[in-house]
């Protein structure tokens, strides 16, 4: 899995704040080590991009990690054989409330 992380990606992750300040602090610290998060996480599935959003992305893949709180990393796969790019780190409760249909197995 080829991953590319830019300063802009990190700014996007940090800007997605939840109401829980403790989780925000955890999320912002995790954003500094995306490769470490991925190494210790479990792949949980993928979903297609919602129509009209994220036109540059082929799909989103999700990775779960327990850090005292269940945490999910959303990675977007860029179109045309592009890399995976981190998009958001969210708590499991918010993830389950908003994810919709998650597909298992290998994307597309």
């Amino acid at each position: 899995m080829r991953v590319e992380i830019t300063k802009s990606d990190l700014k996007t992750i940090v800007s997605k704040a939840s109401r829980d300040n403790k989780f925000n602090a955890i999320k912002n610290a995790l954003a500094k080590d995306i490769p470490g998060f991925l190494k210790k996480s479990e792949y949980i599935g993928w979903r297609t991009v919602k129509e009209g959003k994220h036109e540059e992305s082929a799909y989103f893949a999700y990775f779960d990690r327990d850090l005292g709180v269940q945490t999910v990393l959303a990675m977007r796969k860029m179109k045309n054989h592009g890399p995976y790019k981190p998009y958001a780190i969210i708590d499991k409760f918010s993830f389950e409330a908003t994810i919709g249909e998650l597909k298992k197995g290998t994307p597309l």
Side-chain angles (χ1 to χ4, degrees):
M1 180 168 132
R2 187 169 63 102
V3 176
E4 178 183 283
I5 304 166
T6 64
K7 188 181 270 187
S8 177
D9 297 326
L10 298 178
K11 285 181 180 180
T12 298
I13 291 171
V14 171
S15 72
K16 296 181 181 307
S18 72
R19 290 187 217 168
D20 182 348
N21 287 333
K22 183 178 177 184
F23 181 78
N24 287 332
I26 293 168
K27 168 188 67 78
N28 294 345
L30 290 172
K32 296 177 184 177
D33 186 22
I34 298 295
F37 185 102
L38 287 168
K39 285 179 187 174
K40 297 175 184 174
S41 67
E42 178 183 336
Y43 171 72
I44 55 175
W46 66 281
R47 73 168 173 80
T48 56
V49 177
K50 292 181 181 177
E51 191 173 326
K53 291 191 170 194
H54 308 290
E55 299 291 331
E56 70 286 354
S57 302
Y59 59 86
F60 281 82
Y62 298 93
F63 299 85
D64 186 21
R65 185 169 170 197
D66 186 354
L67 298 161
V69 61
Q70 287 297 115
T71 307
V72 177
L73 171 63
M75 298 286 289
R76 50 191 192 135
K77 173 68 171 147
M78 305 310 285
K79 288 183 177 177
N80 300 321
H81 305 287
Y84 283 88
K85 295 179 71 61
Y87 181 70
I89 297 173
I90 54 179
D91 64 84
K92 188 77 170 197
F93 178 77
S94 297
F95 173 75
E96 290 175 352
T98 61
I99 190 59
E101 185 179 338
L102 190 66
K103 299 172 178 130
K104 303 293 182 184
T106 305
L108 307 173

